[in-house]
Coordinates of all heavy atoms in Angstrom, one line a residue:
M2 N -1.2 5.5 -18.9 CA 0.1 4.9 -18.5 C 0.6 3.9 -19.5 O 1.8 3.9 -19.8 CB 0.0 4.2 -17.1 CG -0.2 5.2 -16.0 SD 0.0 4.4 -14.4 CE -0.2 5.8 -13.4
E3 N -0.4 3.2 -20.1 CA 0.0 2.2 -21.2 C 0.7 2.9 -22.4 O 1.6 2.5 -22.9 CB -1.2 1.4 -21.6 CG -1.6 0.3 -20.7 CD -2.8 -0.4 -21.2 OE1 -3.2 -0.2 -22.3 OE2 -3.3 -1.2 -20.4
E4 N 0.1 4.1 -22.8 CA 0.5 4.8 -23.9 C 2.0 5.3 -23.7 O 2.7 5.5 -24.6 CB -0.4 6.0 -24.2 CG -1.7 5.7 -24.7 CD -2.6 6.9 -24.9 OE1 -2.1 8.0 -24.7 OE2 -3.8 6.7 -25.2
Q5 N 2.4 5.5 -22.4 CA 3.7 6.0 -22.1 C 4.6 4.9 -21.7 O 5.7 5.2 -21.2 CB 3.6 7.1 -21.0 CG 2.9 8.3 -21.5 CD 2.8 9.4 -20.5 OE1 3.6 9.4 -19.5 NE2 1.9 10.4 -20.6
A6 N 4.2 3.7 -21.8 CA 5.0 2.5 -21.4 C 5.4 2.5 -20.0 O 6.6 2.2 -19.7 CB 6.1 2.3 -22.4
L7 N 4.6 3.0 -19.1 CA 4.9 3.1 -17.7 C 4.5 1.7 -17.0 O 3.6 1.1 -17.4 CB 4.2 4.2 -17.0 CG 4.6 5.6 -17.5 CD1 3.7 6.7 -16.8 CD2 6.1 5.9 -17.2
D8 N 5.3 1.4 -16.0 CA 5.0 0.2 -15.2 C 3.6 0.3 -14.6 O 3.2 1.2 -14.0 CB 6.0 0.1 -14.1 CG 6.0 -1.2 -13.3 OD1 4.9 -1.7 -13.1 OD2 7.1 -1.7 -12.9
P9 N 2.8 -0.8 -14.8 CA 1.4 -0.8 -14.3 C 1.4 -0.7 -12.8 O 0.4 -0.2 -12.2 CB 0.8 -2.1 -14.8 CG 1.7 -2.7 -15.7 CD 3.0 -1.9 -15.6
N10 N 2.4 -1.1 -12.1 CA 2.5 -1.0 -10.7 C 2.5 0.5 -10.2 O 2.2 0.8 -9.0 CB 3.7 -1.7 -10.1 CG 3.5 -3.2 -10.2 OD1 2.5 -3.7 -9.9 ND2 4.6 -3.9 -10.7
L11 N 2.8 1.4 -11.1 CA 2.8 2.8 -10.7 C 1.3 3.2 -10.5 O 1.1 4.0 -9.5 CB 3.4 3.7 -11.9 CG 3.5 5.2 -11.6 CD1 4.3 5.5 -10.4 CD2 4.1 5.8 -12.8
A12 N 0.4 2.7 -11.3 CA -1.0 3.0 -11.0 C -1.5 2.5 -9.7 O -2.2 3.1 -9.0 CB -1.9 2.4 -12.2
I13 N -1.0 1.3 -9.3 CA -1.4 0.7 -8.0 C -0.8 1.5 -6.9 O -1.5 1.8 -5.9 CB -0.9 -0.8 -8.0 CG1 -1.7 -1.6 -9.0 CG2 -1.0 -1.3 -6.6 CD1 -1.1 -3.0 -9.2
S14 N 0.4 2.0 -7.1 CA 1.1 2.8 -6.0 C 0.3 4.1 -5.9 O 0.1 4.6 -4.8 CB 2.5 3.0 -6.4 OG 3.2 1.8 -6.3
L15 N 0.0 4.8 -7.0 CA -0.7 6.0 -6.9 C -2.1 5.9 -6.3 O -2.6 6.7 -5.5 CB -0.9 6.7 -8.3 CG 0.4 7.3 -8.9 CD1 0.2 7.7 -10.3 CD2 0.9 8.4 -8.1
N16 N -2.8 4.7 -6.6 CA -4.0 4.4 -5.9 C -3.8 4.3 -4.4 O -4.6 4.9 -3.6 CB -4.6 3.2 -6.4 CG -5.9 2.8 -5.6 OD1 -6.9 3.5 -5.7 ND2 -5.8 1.7 -4.9
G17 N -2.7 3.7 -4.0 CA -2.5 3.6 -2.5 C -2.3 4.9 -1.9 O -2.6 5.1 -0.7
I18 N -1.7 5.9 -2.6 CA -1.5 7.2 -2.0 C -2.7 8.0 -2.0 O -3.0 8.7 -1.0 CB -0.4 7.9 -2.9 CG1 1.0 7.2 -2.7 CG2 -0.3 9.4 -2.5 CD1 2.0 7.7 -3.7
Y19 N -3.5 8.0 -3.1 CA -4.6 8.9 -3.3 C -6.0 8.3 -2.9 O -7.0 8.9 -3.2 CB -4.7 9.4 -4.7 CG -3.6 10.5 -5.0 CD1 -2.6 10.2 -5.9 CD2 -3.7 11.7 -4.4 CE1 -1.7 11.2 -6.2 CE2 -2.7 12.7 -4.7 CZ -1.8 12.4 -5.6 OH -0.8 13.4 -5.9
Q20 N -6.0 7.1 -2.4 CA -7.3 6.4 -2.2 C -8.3 7.1 -1.3 O -9.5 6.9 -1.3 CB -7.1 4.9 -1.8 CG -6.4 4.8 -0.5 CD -6.0 3.4 -0.2 OE1 -6.7 2.4 -0.7 NE2 -5.0 3.1 0.6
W21 N -7.8 8.0 -0.5 CA -8.6 8.8 0.4 C -9.1 10.1 -0.2 O -9.9 10.8 0.3 CB -7.9 9.1 1.7 CG -7.6 7.9 2.5 CD1 -8.4 7.3 3.4 CD2 -6.4 7.1 2.5 NE1 -7.7 6.2 4.0 CE2 -6.5 6.1 3.4 CE3 -5.2 7.2 1.8 CZ2 -5.5 5.1 3.6 CZ3 -4.2 6.3 2.0 CH2 -4.4 5.2 2.9
S22 N -8.5 10.5 -1.4 CA -8.8 11.8 -2.0 C -9.5 11.7 -3.3 O -10.2 12.6 -3.7 CB -7.4 12.5 -2.2 OG -6.7 12.6 -1.0
I23 N -9.2 10.6 -4.1 CA -9.7 10.6 -5.4 C -10.5 9.3 -5.7 O -10.1 8.2 -5.3 CB -8.5 10.6 -6.4 CG1 -7.8 11.9 -6.3 CG2 -9.0 10.4 -7.9 CD1 -6.5 12.0 -7.1
D24 N -11.7 9.5 -6.3 CA -12.5 8.3 -6.7 C -12.0 7.8 -8.0 O -12.3 8.4 -9.1 CB -14.0 8.8 -6.8 CG -14.9 7.7 -7.2 OD1 -14.4 6.5 -7.5 OD2 -16.1 7.9 -7.3
F25 N -11.2 6.8 -8.0 CA -10.6 6.3 -9.3 C -11.6 5.7 -10.2 O -11.3 5.4 -11.4 CB -9.5 5.3 -8.9 CG -8.2 6.0 -8.5 CD1 -8.0 6.2 -7.1 CD2 -7.3 6.5 -9.4 CE1 -6.9 6.9 -6.7 CE2 -6.2 7.2 -9.0 CZ -6.0 7.4 -7.7
Y26 N -12.9 5.4 -9.7 CA -13.9 4.9 -10.6 C -14.5 6.1 -11.4 O -15.2 5.9 -12.4 CB -15.0 4.2 -9.8 CG -14.6 2.9 -9.3 CD1 -14.5 2.7 -7.9 CD2 -14.3 1.8 -10.1 CE1 -14.1 1.5 -7.3 CE2 -13.9 0.6 -9.6 CZ -13.8 0.5 -8.2 OH -13.4 -0.7 -7.7
G27 N -14.2 7.3 -11.0 CA -14.8 8.5 -11.6 C -13.8 9.3 -12.4 O -13.9 10.5 -12.6
L28 N -12.7 8.7 -12.9 CA -11.7 9.4 -13.6 C -12.3 10.0 -14.9 O -13.2 9.3 -15.5 CB -10.5 8.5 -14.0 CG -9.6 8.1 -12.8 CD1 -8.5 7.2 -13.2 CD2 -9.1 9.3 -12.0
K29 N -11.9 11.1 -15.3 CA -12.4 11.8 -16.5 C -11.4 12.1 -17.6 O -10.2 12.2 -17.2 CB -13.1 13.1 -16.1 CG -14.2 13.0 -15.1 CD -14.8 14.3 -14.8 CE -15.9 14.2 -13.7 NZ -16.8 13.1 -13.7
K30 N -11.8 12.2 -18.8 CA -10.9 12.6 -19.8 C -10.3 13.9 -19.5 O -11.0 14.9 -19.0 CB -11.6 12.7 -21.2 CG -10.7 13.0 -22.3 CD -11.4 12.9 -23.6 CE -10.4 13.1 -24.7 NZ -10.8 12.7 -26.0
G31 N -9.0 14.1 -19.6 CA -8.3 15.3 -19.2 C -7.6 15.2 -17.8 O -6.8 16.0 -17.5
D32 N -8.0 14.2 -17.0 CA -7.3 14.0 -15.7 C -5.9 13.6 -16.1 O -5.6 13.0 -17.1 CB -7.9 12.8 -14.9 CG -9.3 13.2 -14.3 OD1 -9.7 14.4 -14.4 OD2 -9.9 12.3 -13.7
K33 N -4.9 14.1 -15.3 CA -3.5 13.8 -15.6 C -2.7 13.7 -14.3 O -3.2 14.1 -13.2 CB -3.0 14.9 -16.5 CG -3.1 16.3 -15.9 CD -2.8 17.3 -17.0 CE -3.1 18.7 -16.4 NZ -2.9 19.7 -17.4
F34 N -1.5 13.3 -14.4 CA -0.6 13.2 -13.2 C 0.8 13.5 -13.6 O 1.2 13.3 -14.7 CB -0.8 11.8 -12.6 CG -0.2 10.7 -13.4 CD1 1.1 10.3 -13.2 CD2 -0.9 10.1 -14.4 CE1 1.7 9.3 -14.0 CE2 -0.4 9.1 -15.2 CZ 1.0 8.7 -15.0
K35 N 1.5 13.9 -12.5 CA 3.0 14.0 -12.6 C 3.5 13.3 -11.4 O 2.9 13.3 -10.3 CB 3.4 15.4 -12.5 CG 3.0 16.3 -13.7 CD 3.4 17.7 -13.5 CE 2.8 18.6 -14.6 NZ 3.2 20.0 -14.4
V36 N 4.6 12.6 -11.5 CA 5.1 11.8 -10.4 C 6.6 11.8 -10.4 O 7.2 11.7 -11.5 CB 4.5 10.4 -10.4 CG1 4.8 9.6 -11.6 CG2 4.8 9.6 -9.1
I37 N 7.2 11.9 -9.2 CA 8.6 11.7 -9.1 C 8.9 10.4 -8.3 O 8.4 10.3 -7.1 CB 9.3 12.9 -8.3 CG1 9.0 14.2 -9.1 CG2 10.8 12.7 -8.1 CD1 9.4 15.5 -8.3
Y38 N 9.5 9.5 -8.9 CA 9.7 8.2 -8.3 C 11.0 7.6 -8.7 O 11.6 8.0 -9.7 CB 8.5 7.2 -8.6 CG 8.5 6.8 -10.1 CD1 9.0 5.6 -10.5 CD2 7.9 7.6 -11.0 CE1 8.9 5.2 -11.9 CE2 7.8 7.3 -12.3 CZ 8.3 6.1 -12.8 OH 8.2 5.7 -14.1
E39 N 11.4 6.6 -8.0 CA 12.6 5.9 -8.4 C 12.3 4.6 -9.1 O 11.2 4.0 -8.9 CB 13.5 5.6 -7.2 CG 12.9 4.6 -6.1 CD 13.8 4.5 -4.9 OE1 14.8 5.2 -4.8 OE2 13.4 3.7 -4.0
E40 N 13.1 4.3 -10.1 CA 12.9 3.0 -10.8 C 14.2 2.2 -10.6 O 15.3 2.7 -10.7 CB 12.8 3.3 -12.3 CG 12.4 2.1 -13.1 CD 12.0 2.5 -14.6 OE1 12.0 3.7 -14.9 OE2 11.7 1.6 -15.3
N41 N 14.0 0.9 -10.3 CA 15.1 0.0 -10.0 C 15.5 -0.7 -11.2 O 14.7 -1.2 -12.0 CB 14.6 -1.0 -8.9 CG 14.2 -0.3 -7.6 OD1 14.9 0.6 -7.1 ND2 13.1 -0.7 -7.0
F42 N 16.8 -0.8 -11.4 CA 17.4 -1.5 -12.5 C 18.4 -2.5 -12.1 O 19.1 -2.3 -11.1 CB 18.2 -0.5 -13.4 CG 17.3 0.5 -14.1 CD1 16.8 1.7 -13.5 CD2 16.8 0.2 -15.4 CE1 16.0 2.5 -14.2 CE2 16.0 1.1 -16.1 CZ 15.6 2.2 -15.5
V43 N 18.5 -3.6 -12.8 CA 19.6 -4.6 -12.6 C 20.2 -4.8 -14.0 O 19.5 -5.2 -15.0 CB 19.0 -5.9 -12.0 CG1 20.1 -7.0 -12.0 CG2 18.5 -5.7 -10.7
F44 N 21.5 -4.6 -14.1 CA 22.2 -4.7 -15.4 C 21.5 -3.9 -16.5 O 21.4 -4.5 -17.6 CB 22.4 -6.2 -15.7 CG 23.2 -7.0 -14.7 CD1 22.6 -8.0 -14.0 CD2 24.5 -6.7 -14.4 CE1 23.3 -8.7 -13.1 CE2 25.2 -7.4 -13.5 CZ 24.6 -8.4 -12.8
G45 N 21.1 -2.7 -16.2 CA 20.4 -1.9 -17.2 C 19.0 -2.2 -17.5 O 18.4 -1.6 -18.4
K46 N 18.4 -3.2 -16.9 CA 17.0 -3.6 -17.2 C 16.2 -3.2 -16.0 O 16.5 -3.6 -14.9 CB 17.0 -5.1 -17.5 CG 15.6 -5.6 -17.8 CD 15.6 -7.1 -18.2 CE 14.2 -7.6 -18.3 NZ 13.4 -7.2 -19.4
S47 N 15.0 -2.6 -16.3 CA 14.1 -2.2 -15.2 C 13.5 -3.4 -14.6 O 13.1 -4.3 -15.3 CB 13.0 -1.3 -15.8 OG 12.1 -1.0 -14.8
I48 N 13.5 -3.4 -13.2 CA 12.8 -4.4 -12.5 C 11.7 -3.9 -11.7 O 11.1 -4.6 -10.8 CB 13.8 -5.2 -11.6 CG1 14.5 -4.2 -10.6 CG2 14.9 -5.9 -12.4 CD1 15.2 -5.0 -9.5
G49 N 11.3 -2.7 -12.0 CA 10.1 -2.1 -11.3 C 10.3 -0.8 -10.6 O 11.5 -0.3 -10.6
I50 N 9.3 -0.2 -10.1 CA 9.4 1.0 -9.5 C 9.7 0.9 -8.0 O 9.5 -0.2 -7.4 CB 8.1 1.9 -9.6 CG1 6.9 1.2 -8.9 CG2 7.7 2.1 -11.1 CD1 5.8 2.2 -8.7
G51 N 10.3 1.9 -7.5 CA 10.6 1.9 -6.0 C 9.7 2.9 -5.3 O 8.5 2.9 -5.6
R52 N 10.3 3.8 -4.6 CA 9.5 4.7 -3.8 C 9.0 5.9 -4.6 O 9.7 6.3 -5.6 CB 10.4 5.3 -2.7 CG 10.9 4.3 -1.7 CD 11.9 4.9 -0.7 NE 13.1 5.1 -1.5 CZ 14.2 5.6 -1.0 NH1 14.3 5.9 0.3 NH2 15.3 5.9 -1.8
I53 N 7.8 6.3 -4.3 CA 7.3 7.6 -4.9 C 7.6 8.7 -3.9 O 7.3 8.6 -2.7 CB 5.8 7.4 -5.1 CG1 5.5 6.4 -6.2 CG2 5.2 8.8 -5.5 CD1 4.1 6.2 -6.6
F54 N 8.3 9.7 -4.4 CA 8.6 10.9 -3.5 C 7.6 12.0 -3.5 O 7.4 12.6 -2.5 CB 10.0 11.4 -4.0 CG 11.1 10.4 -3.9 CD1 11.6 9.8 -5.0 CD2 11.6 10.0 -2.6 CE1 12.6 8.8 -4.9 CE2 12.6 9.0 -2.5 CZ 13.1 8.4 -3.7
A55 N 7.0 12.2 -4.7 CA 6.0 13.3 -4.8 C 5.1 13.0 -6.0 O 5.6 12.4 -7.0 CB 6.7 14.7 -4.9
A56 N 3.9 13.6 -5.9 CA 3.0 13.4 -7.1 C 2.0 14.5 -7.1 O 1.7 15.2 -6.1 CB 2.2 12.1 -7.0
Q57 N 1.5 14.8 -8.3 CA 0.4 15.8 -8.5 C -0.6 15.0 -9.4 O -0.2 14.5 -10.5 CB 0.9 17.0 -9.2 CG -0.2 18.0 -9.6 CD 0.2 19.1 -10.5 OE1 1.4 19.2 -10.9 NE2 -0.7 20.0 -10.8
F58 N -1.8 14.9 -8.9 CA -2.8 14.3 -9.7 C -3.9 15.4 -9.9 O -4.5 15.9 -9.0 CB -3.4 13.1 -8.9 CG -4.1 12.1 -9.8 CD1 -3.5 10.9 -10.1 CD2 -5.3 12.4 -10.4 CE1 -4.1 10.0 -10.9 CE2 -6.0 11.5 -11.2 CZ -5.4 10.2 -11.5
T59 N -4.2 15.7 -11.2 CA -5.2 16.6 -11.5 C -6.5 15.8 -11.9 O -6.5 15.1 -12.9 CB -4.8 17.6 -12.7 OG1 -3.6 18.2 -12.3 CG2 -5.9 18.6 -13.0
H60 N -7.5 16.0 -11.1 CA -8.8 15.2 -11.3 C -9.9 16.2 -11.3 O -10.0 17.0 -10.3 CB -8.9 14.2 -10.2 CG -10.2 13.5 -10.2 ND1 -10.7 12.7 -11.2 CD2 -11.2 13.5 -9.2 CE1 -11.9 12.2 -10.9 NE2 -12.2 12.7 -9.7
A61 N -10.7 16.2 -12.3 CA -11.9 17.1 -12.4 C -11.4 18.6 -12.2 O -12.1 19.3 -11.4 CB -13.0 16.7 -11.4
N62 N -10.3 18.9 -12.8 CA -9.7 20.3 -12.7 C -9.3 20.7 -11.3 O -9.2 21.9 -11.0 CB -10.7 21.3 -13.3 CG -10.9 21.2 -14.8 OD1 -9.9 20.9 -15.5 ND2 -12.1 21.3 -15.3
E63 N -9.1 19.8 -10.5 CA -8.6 20.1 -9.1 C -7.3 19.3 -8.9 O -7.1 18.2 -9.3 CB -9.6 19.6 -8.0 CG -9.2 19.9 -6.6 CD -10.2 19.5 -5.6 OE1 -11.3 19.1 -5.9 OE2 -9.9 19.7 -4.4
D64 N -6.3 20.1 -8.4 CA -4.9 19.5 -8.2 C -4.9 18.8 -6.8 O -5.2 19.5 -5.8 CB -3.9 20.5 -8.3 CG -3.7 21.0 -9.7 OD1 -3.9 20.2 -10.6 OD2 -3.3 22.2 -9.9
F65 N -4.4 17.6 -6.8 CA -4.1 16.9 -5.5 C -2.6 16.6 -5.4 O -2.1 15.9 -6.3 CB -4.9 15.6 -5.5 CG -6.4 15.7 -5.5 CD1 -7.1 15.9 -6.7 CD2 -7.1 15.8 -4.3 CE1 -8.5 16.0 -6.7 CE2 -8.5 15.9 -4.3 CZ -9.2 16.0 -5.5
Y66 N -2.0 17.1 -4.4 CA -0.6 16.9 -4.3 C -0.3 15.9 -3.2 O -1.1 15.8 -2.2 CB 0.1 18.3 -3.9 CG 0.1 19.3 -4.9 CD1 -1.0 20.2 -5.0 CD2 1.1 19.3 -5.9 CE1 -1.0 21.2 -6.0 CE2 1.0 20.3 -6.9 CZ 0.0 21.2 -7.0 OH -0.1 22.1 -8.0
A67 N 0.8 15.2 -3.3 CA 1.3 14.2 -2.3 C 2.8 14.3 -2.2 O 3.5 14.3 -3.2 CB 0.9 12.8 -2.8
F68 N 3.2 14.5 -1.0 CA 4.7 14.6 -0.7 C 5.0 13.5 0.4 O 4.3 13.4 1.4 CB 5.0 15.9 -0.1 CG 4.7 17.0 -1.1 CD1 3.5 17.8 -1.0 CD2 5.6 17.3 -2.2 CE1 3.2 18.8 -1.9 CE2 5.3 18.3 -3.1 CZ 4.1 19.0 -3.0
R69 N 6.0 12.7 0.1 CA 6.4 11.6 1.0 C 7.2 12.2 2.1 O 8.0 13.1 2.0 CB 7.3 10.7 0.2 CG 7.8 9.5 1.0 CD 8.9 8.8 0.1 NE 9.4 7.7 0.8 CZ 9.1 6.5 0.7 NH1 8.2 6.2 -0.2 NH2 9.6 5.5 1.4
Y70 N 6.9 11.8 3.3 CA 7.6 12.2 4.5 C 7.8 11.0 5.4 O 7.0 10.2 5.6 CB 6.8 13.3 5.3 CG 7.5 13.8 6.5 CD1 8.6 14.7 6.3 CD2 7.2 13.5 7.7 CE1 9.3 15.2 7.4 CE2 7.8 14.0 8.9 CZ 8.9 14.9 8.7 OH 9.6 15.3 9.8
T71 N 9.1 10.9 5.9 CA 9.4 9.8 6.8 C 9.7 10.4 8.2 O 10.5 11.3 8.3 CB 10.6 9.0 6.3 OG1 10.4 8.6 5.0 CG2 11.0 7.8 7.2
Q72 N 9.1 9.8 9.2 CA 9.3 10.2 10.6 C 9.3 9.0 11.5 O 8.4 8.2 11.4 CB 8.2 11.2 11.1 CG 8.5 11.7 12.5 CD 7.4 12.7 12.8 OE1 6.6 13.2 12.0 NE2 7.5 13.2 14.1
E73 N 10.4 8.8 12.2 CA 10.6 7.6 13.1 C 10.4 6.3 12.3 O 9.6 5.5 12.7 CB 9.7 7.7 14.3 CG 10.0 8.9 15.2 CD 9.1 9.0 16.3 OE1 8.3 8.1 16.6 OE2 9.1 10.1 17.0
N74 N 11.0 6.2 11.1 CA 10.9 5.0 10.2 C 9.5 4.7 9.7 O 9.3 3.7 9.2 CB 11.5 3.8 10.9 CG 13.0 4.0 11.2 OD1 13.7 4.6 10.3 ND2 13.5 3.4 12.2
E75 N 8.6 5.7 9.8 CA 7.3 5.5 9.3 C 7.1 6.5 8.1 O 7.3 7.7 8.3 CB 6.2 5.7 10.3 CG 4.8 5.3 9.8 CD 3.9 4.8 10.9 OE1 4.4 4.4 11.9 OE2 2.7 4.8 10.6
E76 N 6.7 6.0 7.0 CA 6.5 6.8 5.8 C 5.0 7.1 5.6 O 4.2 6.2 5.7 CB 7.1 6.1 4.6 CG 8.6 5.9 4.8 CD 9.2 5.0 3.7 OE1 8.5 4.4 3.0 OE2 10.4 4.9 3.7
S77 N 4.7 8.3 5.2 CA 3.3 8.6 4.9 C 3.4 9.8 3.8 O 4.4 10.3 3.5 CB 2.6 9.1 6.1 OG 1.2 9.1 5.9
Y78 N 2.2 10.1 3.3 CA 2.1 11.2 2.3 C 1.2 12.3 2.9 O 0.2 12.1 3.5 CB 1.5 10.6 1.0 CG 2.5 9.7 0.3 CD1 2.5 8.4 0.6 CD2 3.4 10.2 -0.6 CE1 3.5 7.5 0.0 CE2 4.3 9.4 -1.2 CZ 4.4 8.1 -0.9 OH 5.3 7.3 -1.5
F79 N 1.6 13.5 2.5 CA 0.9 14.7 3.0 C 0.6 15.6 1.8 O 1.3 15.6 0.8 CB 1.8 15.4 4.0 CG 2.0 14.6 5.3 CD1 3.0 13.6 5.3 CD2 1.2 14.8 6.3 CE1 3.2 12.9 6.5 CE2 1.3 14.0 7.5 CZ 2.3 13.1 7.6
N80 N -0.4 16.5 2.0 CA -0.7 17.4 0.9 C 0.1 18.7 1.0 O 1.0 18.8 1.9 CB -2.2 17.7 0.9 CG -2.7 18.5 2.1 OD1 -1.9 19.1 2.8 ND2 -4.0 18.5 2.3
S81 N -0.1 19.7 0.2 CA 0.7 20.9 0.2 C 0.5 21.7 1.4 O 1.3 22.6 1.7 CB 0.4 21.7 -1.1 OG -1.0 22.0 -1.1
L82 N -0.5 21.4 2.2 CA -0.7 22.2 3.5 C -0.2 21.4 4.7 O -0.3 21.8 5.8 CB -2.2 22.4 3.7 CG -2.9 23.3 2.6 CD1 -4.4 23.3 2.8 CD2 -2.3 24.6 2.5
G83 N 0.4 20.2 4.4 CA 1.0 19.5 5.5 C 0.1 18.5 6.2 O 0.4 17.9 7.2
K84 N -1.1 18.3 5.6 CA -2.1 17.4 6.2 C -2.0 16.0 5.6 O -1.8 15.9 4.4 CB -3.5 17.9 5.9 CG -3.8 19.2 6.7 CD -5.3 19.6 6.5 CE -5.5 20.9 7.3 NZ -6.9 21.2 7.4
S85 N -2.1 15.0 6.4 CA -2.0 13.6 6.0 C -3.1 13.4 4.9 O -4.2 13.8 5.1 CB -2.2 12.7 7.2 OG -2.2 11.4 6.7
L86 N -2.7 12.6 3.9 CA -3.7 12.2 2.9 C -4.6 11.1 3.4 O -5.7 10.9 2.9 CB -3.0 11.7 1.6 CG -2.3 12.8 0.9 CD1 -1.7 12.2 -0.4 CD2 -3.1 14.0 0.6
K87 N -4.2 10.4 4.5 CA -5.1 9.4 5.1 C -6.2 10.0 5.9 O -5.9 10.8 6.8 CB -4.2 8.4 6.0 CG -3.3 7.6 5.2 CD -2.6 6.6 6.1 CE -1.6 5.8 5.4 NZ -0.9 4.8 6.2
T88 N -7.4 9.6 5.6 CA -8.6 10.1 6.4 C -9.4 8.9 6.8 O -9.0 7.7 6.5 CB -9.4 11.0 5.5 OG1 -9.9 10.3 4.4 CG2 -8.7 12.2 5.0
A89 N -10.5 9.1 7.5 CA -11.3 8.0 8.0 C -11.9 7.1 6.9 O -12.1 5.9 7.1 CB -12.3 8.6 8.9
F90 N -12.2 7.7 5.8 CA -12.9 6.9 4.7 C -12.2 7.0 3.4 O -11.7 8.0 3.0 CB -14.4 7.5 4.6 CG -15.2 7.4 5.8 CD1 -15.4 8.5 6.6 CD2 -15.8 6.2 6.2 CE1 -16.1 8.4 7.8 CE2 -16.5 6.1 7.4 CZ -16.7 7.2 8.2
L91 N -12.3 5.9 2.7 CA -11.7 5.8 1.4 C -12.7 6.4 0.3 O -13.9 6.2 0.5 CB -11.4 4.4 1.0 CG -10.4 3.6 1.8 CD1 -10.3 2.2 1.4 CD2 -9.1 4.3 1.8
K92 N -12.2 7.1 -0.7 CA -13.1 7.6 -1.7 C -13.6 6.5 -2.6 O -14.8 6.5 -3.0 CB -12.3 8.6 -2.6 CG -12.2 10.0 -2.0 CD -13.4 10.7 -2.2 CE -13.2 12.2 -1.8 NZ -14.3 13.0 -2.0
S93 N -12.7 5.6 -3.0 CA -13.2 4.4 -3.8 C -12.3 3.2 -3.5 O -11.2 3.1 -4.0 CB -13.1 4.8 -5.3 OG -11.8 5.0 -5.7
P94 N -12.7 2.4 -2.5 CA -11.9 1.2 -2.2 C -11.7 0.3 -3.4 O -12.7 0.0 -4.1 CB -12.8 0.5 -1.1 CG -13.9 1.4 -0.8 CD -14.0 2.5 -1.8
I95 N -10.5 0.0 -3.7 CA -10.1 -0.8 -4.8 C -9.3 -2.0 -4.2 O -8.3 -1.7 -3.5 CB -9.3 -0.1 -5.9 CG1 -10.2 1.0 -6.5 CG2 -8.8 -1.1 -6.9 CD1 -9.4 1.8 -7.5
E96 N -9.7 -3.2 -4.4 CA -8.9 -4.3 -4.0 C -7.9 -4.6 -5.0 O -8.1 -4.6 -6.2 CB -9.8 -5.6 -3.8 CG -10.6 -5.5 -2.5 CD -11.3 -6.8 -2.2 OE1 -10.7 -7.9 -2.5 OE2 -12.5 -6.7 -1.7
V97 N -6.7 -4.9 -4.6 CA -5.5 -5.2 -5.4 C -5.1 -6.6 -5.2 O -5.2 -7.1 -4.2 CB -4.4 -4.2 -5.3 CG1 -4.0 -3.6 -6.6 CG2 -4.6 -3.2 -4.3

């Protein structure tokens, strides 16, 4: 993310989405991501990222998808099969 001059908060947001699916302590060379998100600007200057709408994270040659869905004013992320990304246990709890 640093090489692409992306906001470091994007990494924190992706961790929040994928913390039940991906062990971020076990990232490997070749892991990659794609993300669709909004970036907030004031007078043409970025003030940070907004909502993440969808993401694809490729980890250990496996694709993990996340799609934002809002129902009754509650937002959550689901995989490509429509299952919630939130499960009972975190893959790698990271304190922020």
Side-chain angles (χ1 to χ4, degrees):
M2 288 191 179
E3 286 178 6
E4 289 176 7
Q5 296 182 18
L7 296 173
D8 188 323
N10 289 315
L11 184 57
I13 294 168
S14 295
L15 287 173
N16 174 67
I18 293 169
Y19 286 115
Q20 61 188 334
W21 295 274
S22 308
I23 297 172
D24 178 359
F25 283 94
Y26 291 113
L28 295 180
K29 301 183 182 317
K30 186 174 183 161
D32 287 356
K33 55 189 174 186
F34 69 94
K35 296 177 186 178
V36 62
I37 300 171
Y38 66 98
E39 63 186 4
E40 187 170 0
N41 299 315
F42 290 87
V43 173
F44 300 114
K46 181 174 170 69
S47 175
I48 59 167
I50 67 166
R52 297 172 291 181
I53 292 179
F54 298 107
Q57 174 191 2
F58 202 106
T59 303
H60 172 62
N62 293 320
E63 184 177 353
D64 290 328
F65 295 87
Y66 293 93
F68 300 97
R69 178 189 180 100
Y70 182 73
T71 304
Q72 183 174 355
E73 296 178 12
N74 293 326
E75 187 149 343
E76 298 168 351
S77 194
Y78 290 88
F79 296 85
N80 67 17
S81 58
L82 300 174
K84 293 186 177 189
S85 176
L86 293 185
K87 290 184 182 180
T88 61
F90 299 101
L91 299 175
K92 281 282 189 174
S93 66
I95 297 178
E96 286 190 33
V97 234

